[in-house]
C-alpha cells in the first residue's frame, strides 16, 4: 500500500487545522497591539483591566462577539449574506498556508507559492463585494463597490512589484526566495523601489489606514459590514487583522529575509532548533511591521477616493513597470 | 525641496514619542479628580413622602448662591406671591417650568374646582381590596375609577396612595402615564395634536375645519356640552400624523373629512358618565 499518499493527506489536514487554529490567537494579538499602540499614541493607557496589563482585552472582545445576537436583515439575501464572512475569512486563512514561518514549518511548500498567495488573497474582495450586495443597504453596497475598485486596482502594482523580486531570485517558492536572500543578502538591498510600492499597495490591499476607504466608518457606517452583527461581524473583523499579520509576514519573507536572523551568525541552524530559531525571528520581524502599520493608523488620515485611485494608476503602476523593466534588463545584462 | 514621505515620517515620530510619553488618563475608581470646594455635584430638589417638593421657597439658597444662579418665585404662608431674582430677566418668563416654579399649574386648568371633588371612599376601598391592593393592579383600579367618574379625581388617587402604601409621586406618575384623564371634561374631550409632524401633515387644516364645524375655539366647550376642543403637542402619535385624540383614544392619520366624520359620530354617541354618578 502507498503510505506516502496517506501521509501527505494527513500532513495537509494537520497543517490546515494548525493554520486555522493559529489565526485566532494571531487576531487576538494583533487587535491587542492595535488597542494598546493607538491608545499610547493618543496619550491614553488603553485597556489595562482584563488580565495582567490588560492583555486579555481583545480575547474578551472575541468571546463577547460570540455571545452577541446574530441578526440578518429581512431584505437581505440570506444565502450570500451568510456566505460572505466565510469567504473573507477563508481567503485570509488559506493564504496563510504558504507563509514560511521557519525552515520545515511551511504548511504547503509550493513551487508556485507567490502566485498562490496573491491569487487567494485577492479572493477576499469577492467576499466584501458579496457582503455589500447581500446586505440590501446602500452604505454596504457603496463599501463593497469601493472595496472592488480599490483592491483590484492595488493588486496590479502589488503583484508587479513582486514580479521584480521573482525575476531577480528566479523562483516562485517562498522557501527558495529566502534561501536566495541568505546567499545574496536581503531583497531590501536589491529591490528598494519594489519594497516601497509593495508596502503602500499592501496597506491598500488589506484596507488599512490611510487606505481604509472600504470601511470608512465616518462616511459609510462600517462599509460592507454595516448590517453584520455577532460572530459574522467577528469573522470580518478577525479576517482584517489576520490579513494584516499575513501581509507583514509576506513582506518580511520577500524583502527582509523571512526567518533569517538580521546578522549572519548563526544565520540558519538545522533541525528542530533551527525551526524554533526561525519561528522566533519570523514573529519578531512580522510584529515589528504590524506595529508600524498600527502606528501609521494612529498617525495618518484617510485619503480621498480620487487620491487613492490616482496613486494606484498614475504613480505606483508606472513605477512598478519601470522597476520591473530595469530589473529584467539588469538580470539579462549582468547574468544575475 | 520636499522629500516625499518626510511628512509621514515626522508624524510617525510624533506618535511614537507619544507612545512613551506620560499618559493623561485618570484611572477613575482608584484615583479621583479633586473637585473645587464649592462643587456640589448634581442638584436635585428633595421630595417628601407624598411626592411634594420639600422646598418651601425660603430663598436661603438663592441668597447664598455665590454666582447668583438661583432665582425662583412662589407663595408664602399667607398666600402672597413672592419672588427672588432678577425681575428684568425672569419675571416675564412664560415657559412651563417657570409656571411650575411659581406654584402655578403649567397649563390653565379647566374645571380645576372639581379636581378634588368628594368621592365614594367605601366603594374605592372595595375596588382596591378586590384587587388585593397589589401595585400591579393600579391600571385596573384606575380604569374602574375612570369608568365611574369619567376621570381620576385627586382624592381617589390620594386614597389609593394611602390604602396601597404607595408613594403619592408614584401613584401620580402612573396615573399620568396610562392615558387616563386627570381632569373632568364636559362631554368628550377632543385633542388635536399640534406637534411639528402633525401640523406638517395637515393638522392645521384639521383644526380649522373642526373649529368651524363645532363653532368653538380650543379650550372651549360646545353649547350642548358634548365636545370640548383642545390642542396639545404631545398626543404622541408620531407615526399617525395628523392625529387627534377623543377622550383616551387616538385616531390617525386622518384627512380633514375623516376627522370631521369621527368627531361627528362621537358627538352623537352617549356622553360619558358625569362626575359622581355611575354609568346608566
Amino acid at each position: 500500500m502507498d503510505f506516502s499518499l496517506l501521509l501527505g493527506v494527513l500532513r495537509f489536514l494537520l497543517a490546515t487545522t494548525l493554520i486555522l487554529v493559529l489565526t485566532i490567537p494571531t487576531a487576538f494579538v494583533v487587535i491587542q497591539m492595535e488597542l494598546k499602540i493607538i491608545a499610547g499614541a493618543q496619550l491614553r493607557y488603553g485597556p489595562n483591566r482584563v488580565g495582567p496589563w490588560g492583555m486579555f482585552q481583545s480575547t474578551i472582545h472575541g468571546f463577547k462577539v460570540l455571545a452577541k445576537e446574530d441578526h440578518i436583515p429581512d431584505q437581505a439575501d440570506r444565502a450570500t449574506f451568510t456566505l460572505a464572512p466565510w469567504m473573507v475569512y477563508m481567503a485570509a486563512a488559506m493564504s496563510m498556508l504558504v507563509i514560511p514561518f521557519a525552515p520545515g514549518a511551511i504548511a504547503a511548500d509550493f513551487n508556485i507559492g507567490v502566485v498562490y498567495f496573491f491569487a487567494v488573497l485577492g479572493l477576499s474582495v469577492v467576499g466584501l463585494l458579496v457582503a455589500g450586495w447581500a446586505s440590501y443597504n446602500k452604505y454596504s453596497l457603496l463599501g463593497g463597490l469601493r472595496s472592488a475598485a480599490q483592491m483590484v486596482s492595488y493588486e496590479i502594482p502589488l503583484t508587479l512589484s513582486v514580479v521584480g523580486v521573482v525575476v531577480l531570485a528566479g523562483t516562485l517558492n517562498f522557501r527558495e526566495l529566502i534561501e536566495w536572500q541568505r546567499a545574496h543578502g536581503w531583497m531590501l538591498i536589491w529591490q528598494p523601489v519594489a519594497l516601497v510600492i509593495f508596502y503602500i499597495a499592501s496597506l491598500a490591499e488589506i484596507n488599512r489606514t490611510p487606505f481604509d476607504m472600504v470601511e470608512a466608518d465616518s462616511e459609510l457606517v462600517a462599509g460592507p459590514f454595516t448590517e453584520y452583527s455577532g460572530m459574522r461581524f467577528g469573522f470580518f473583523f478577525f479576517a482584517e487583522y489576520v490579513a494584516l499579520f499575513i501581509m507583514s509576514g509576506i513582506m518580511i519573507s520577500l524583502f527582509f529575509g523571512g526567518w533569517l536572523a538580521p546578522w549572519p551568525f548563526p544565520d540558519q541552524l538545522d533541525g528542530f532548533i533551527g525551526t524554533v530559531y526561525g519561528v522566533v525571528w519570523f514573529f519578531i520581524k512580522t510584529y515589528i511591521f504590524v506595529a508600524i502599520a498600527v502606528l501609521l493608523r494612529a498617525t495618518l488620515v484617510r485619503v480621498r477616493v480620487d487620491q487613492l485611485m490616482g496613486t494606484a494608476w498614475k504613480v505606483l503602476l508606472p513605477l512598478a513597470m519601470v522597476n520591473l523593466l530595469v530589473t529584467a534588463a539588469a538580470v539579462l545584462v549582468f547574468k544575475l | 525641496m520636499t522629500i516625499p514621505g518626510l511628512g509621514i515620517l515626522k508624524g510617525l515620530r510624533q506618535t511614537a514619542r507619544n507612545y512613551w510619553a506620560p499618559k493623561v488618563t485618570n484611572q477613575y475608581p482608584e484615583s479621583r479628580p479633586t473637585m473645587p470646594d464649592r462643587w456640589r455635584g448634581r442638584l436635585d430638589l428633595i421630595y417628601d413622602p407624598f411626592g411634594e417638593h420639600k422646598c418651601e421657597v425660603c430663598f436661603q439658597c438663592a441668597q447664598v448662591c455665590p454666582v447668583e444662579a438661583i432665582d425662583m418665585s412662589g407663595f408664602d404662608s399667607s398666600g402672597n406671591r413672592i419672588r427672588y431674582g432678577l425681575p428684568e430677566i425672569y419675571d416675564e418668563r412664560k415657559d412651563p417650568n417657570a409656571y411650575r416654579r411659581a406654584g402655578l399649574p403649567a397649563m390653565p386648568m379647566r374645571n380645576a374646582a372639581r379636581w378634588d371633588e368628594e368621592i365614594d371612599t367605601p366603594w374605592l376601598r372595595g375596588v382596591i381590596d378586590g384587587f388585593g391592593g397589589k401595585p400591579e393592579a393600579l391600571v385596573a383600579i384606575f380604569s374602574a375609577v375612570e369608568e365611574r367618574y369619567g376621570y381620576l379625581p385627586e382624592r381617589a388617587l390620594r386614597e389609593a396612595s394611602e390604602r396601597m402604601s404607595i408613594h403619592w409621586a408614584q401613584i401620580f406618575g402612573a396615573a399620568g402615564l396610562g392615558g387616563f384623564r386627570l381632569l373632568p371634561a364636559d362631554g368628550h374631550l377632543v385633542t388635536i395634536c399640534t406637534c411639528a409632524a402633525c401640523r406638517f401633515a395637515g393638522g392645521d387644516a384639521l383644526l380649522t375645519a373642526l373649529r368651524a364645524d363645532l363653532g368653538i375655539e380650543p379650550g372651549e366647550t360646545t353649547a350642548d356640552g358634548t365636545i370640548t376642543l383642545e390642542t396639545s403637542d404631545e398626543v404622541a402619535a408620531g407615526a399617525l400624523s395628523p392625529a387627534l385624540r377623543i377622550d383616551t383614544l387616538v385616531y390617525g392619520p386622518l384627512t380633514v373629512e375623516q376627522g370631521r366624520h369621527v368627531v361627528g359620530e362621537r358627538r352623537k354617541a352617549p356622553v360619558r358618565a358625569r362626575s359622581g354618578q355611575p354609568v346608566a
Side-chain angles (χ1 to χ4, degrees):
Chain A
M1 226 183 126
D2 191 0
F3 281 105
S4 66
L5 180 67
L6 195 64
L7 274 176
V9 170
L10 271 178
R11 189 182 172 281
F12 177 76
L13 283 179
L14 187 71
T16 44
T17 314
L18 275 177
I19 289 290
L20 261 180
V21 171
L22 181 68
T23 56
I24 293 166
T26 304
F28 285 153
V29 171
V30 177
I31 294 171
Q32 184 73 19
M33 284 174 74
E34 175 118 336
L35 291 172
K36 278 304 241 190
I37 293 178
I38 288 187
Q42 294 169 345
L43 297 178
R44 296 182 288 117
Y45 289 111
N48 60 354
R49 300 279 161 168
V50 187
W53 304 289
M55 56 166 44
F56 295 126
Q57 185 68 47
S58 57
T59 318
I60 288 290
H61 275 295
F63 285 107
K64 176 195 74 179
V65 162
L66 266 182
K68 283 201 168 186
E69 185 193 354
D70 186 17
H71 178 73
I72 299 180
D74 281 348
Q75 301 274 332
D77 189 317
R78 288 187 84 92
T80 43
F81 188 85
T82 46
L83 200 61
W86 181 82
M87 290 167 85
V88 173
Y89 193 73
M90 285 315 285
M94 278 167 68
S95 55
M96 217 162 164
L97 275 180
V98 289
I99 289 191
F101 289 103
I106 311 174
D109 193 6
F110 292 169
N111 54 358
I112 52 157
V114 177
V115 175
Y116 169 89
F117 176 81
F118 288 104
V120 170
L121 197 73
L123 282 180
S124 70
V125 67
V126 181
L128 290 176
L129 195 54
V130 163
W133 182 80
S135 296
Y136 201 75
N137 174 327
K138 57 187 166 191
Y139 297 113
S140 300
L141 189 55
L142 273 176
L145 291 175
R146 278 188 182 184
S147 79
Q150 171 179 332
M151 292 168 83
V152 170
S153 310
Y154 273 90
E155 218 147 84
I156 296 163
L158 182 74
T159 323
L160 275 179
S161 70
V162 176
V163 172
V165 173
V166 168
V167 166
L168 198 56
T171 176
L172 284 163
N173 183 317
F174 277 112
R175 183 176 47 76
E176 287 171 17
L177 271 170
I178 292 168
E179 295 295 334
W180 187 91
Q181 292 183 62
R182 186 182 168 200
H184 297 85
W186 290 2
M187 197 61 85
L188 168 69
I189 311 160
W190 298 89
Q191 291 279 322
V193 181
L195 171 63
V196 172
I197 299 167
F198 183 91
Y199 192 63
I200 296 173
S202 71
L203 284 179
E205 182 70 16
I206 57 176
N207 302 320
R208 289 291 301 184
T209 320
F211 305 110
D212 57 344
M213 300 305 302
V214 175
E215 263 189 87
D217 1 33
S218 50
E219 305 160 29
L220 294 180
V221 191
F225 322 140
T226 306
E227 295 290 349
Y228 281 89
S229 52
M231 200 52 215
R232 282 189 227 287
F233 176 79
F235 269 122
F236 281 123
F237 201 68
F238 273 29
E240 201 168 303
Y241 287 100
V242 171
L244 173 58
F245 174 83
I246 290 170
M247 265 302 178
S248 304
I250 288 301
M251 187 164 71
I252 66 136
S253 305
L254 289 175
F255 295 98
F256 292 89
W259 62 64
L260 300 175
W263 59 89
F265 167 76
D267 70 342
Q268 193 170 333
L269 301 166
D270 291 329
F272 184 69
I273 301 288
T275 305
V276 174
Y277 192 68
V279 165
V280 167
W281 274 114
F282 177 87
F283 275 99
I284 288 175
K285 288 182 191 174
T286 304
Y287 278 119
I288 284 174
F289 280 97
V290 170
I292 290 174
V294 172
L295 205 59
L296 265 178
R297 179 169 179 183
T299 308
L300 296 181
V301 294
R302 188 181 305 135
V303 299
R304 290 200 313 263
V305 177
D306 58 322
Q307 292 169 334
L308 177 88
M309 300 308 270
T311 315
W313 293 104
K314 293 182 199 157
V315 181
L316 293 186
L317 182 58
L319 211 57
M321 290 285 203
V322 169
N323 180 57
L324 175 56
L325 201 69
V326 170
T327 310
V331 168
L332 277 183
V333 171
F334 299 110
K335 307 273 186 294
L336 286 169
Chain B
M1 183 194 155
T2 54
I3 304 164
L6 195 65
I8 295 177
L9 288 181
K10 277 183 183 169
L12 279 176
R13 195 181 59 181
Q14 181 61 47
T15 40
R17 275 183 187 163
N18 277 0
Y19 183 79
W20 304 107
K23 301 292 178 272
V24 295
T25 312
N26 213 340
Q27 296 287 319
Y28 169 62
E30 290 92 23
S31 80
R32 307 201 174 219
T34 49
M35 285 299 175
D37 287 343
R38 285 172 169 172
W39 173 255
R40 291 292 175 271
R42 179 173 169 266
L43 300 175
D44 208 349
L45 286 177
I46 299 172
Y47 288 80
D48 70 8
F50 287 103
E52 305 277 15
H53 283 314
K54 273 194 157 177
C55 172
E56 292 176 342
V57 205
C58 66
F59 297 137
Q60 284 189 48
C61 56
Q63 273 170 8
V64 300
C65 178
V67 292
E68 299 181 353
I70 300 175
D71 81 295
M72 71 176 84
S73 55
F75 296 94
D76 66 10
S77 50
S78 321
N80 301 314
R81 182 144 186 260
I82 50 176
R83 68 177 316 291
Y84 188 97
L86 304 169
E88 65 273 22
I89 299 176
Y90 295 107
D91 205 33
E92 295 305 311
R93 214 150 132 184
K94 289 290 188 290
D95 67 77
N97 284 330
Y99 276 102
R100 287 199 191 98
R101 276 206 311 268
L104 295 169
M107 295 287 281
M109 287 172 86
R110 292 177 304 104
N111 302 321
R114 281 161 59 197
W115 161 247
D116 60 350
E117 73 174 304
E118 286 297 333
I119 56 156
D120 186 357
T121 313
W123 170 81
L124 180 60
R125 286 184 182 159
V127 170
I128 292 170
D129 294 345
F131 286 108
K134 291 204 182 84
E136 53 265 38
L138 260 187
V139 171
I141 293 167
F142 288 163
S143 299
V145 173
E146 200 186 45
E147 190 65 29
R148 172 151 178 177
Y149 292 100
Y151 73 108
L152 300 180
E154 183 192 1
R155 296 209 176 170
L157 298 181
R158 294 270 182 201
E159 178 64 31
S161 166
E162 214 154 285
R163 187 99 183 143
M164 301 165 77
S165 302
I166 302 174
H167 280 179
W168 163 245
Q170 289 177 332
I171 291 271
F172 190 74
L177 281 173
F180 294 102
R181 285 162 67 177
L182 295 173
L183 283 176
D186 286 317
H188 296 292
L189 180 62
V190 175
T191 311
I192 313 242
C193 188
T194 53
C195 72
C198 286
R199 293 186 64 172
F200 185 74
D204 282 340
L206 192 61
L207 180 59
T208 315
L210 285 177
R211 266 162 55 196
D213 260 13
L214 302 168
I216 52 171
E217 290 299 307
E220 296 176 353
T221 307
T222 50
D224 59 355
T226 48
I227 299 278
T228 300
L229 193 60
E230 202 184 73
T231 58
S232 160
D233 56 1
E234 38 199 350
V235 170
L240 302 177
S241 317
L244 66 79
R245 183 173 60 200
I246 302 182
D247 296 338
T248 55
L249 208 58
V250 176
Y251 295 83
L254 294 167
T255 62
V256 171
E257 272 317 302
Q258 286 169 334
R260 287 162 75 173
H261 174 75
V262 168
V263 173
E265 286 297 308
R266 214 24 111 82
R267 199 174 177 184
K268 283 184 227 150
V271 174
R272 200 182 248 285
R274 304 309 294 259
S275 52
Q277 282 141 34
V279 179

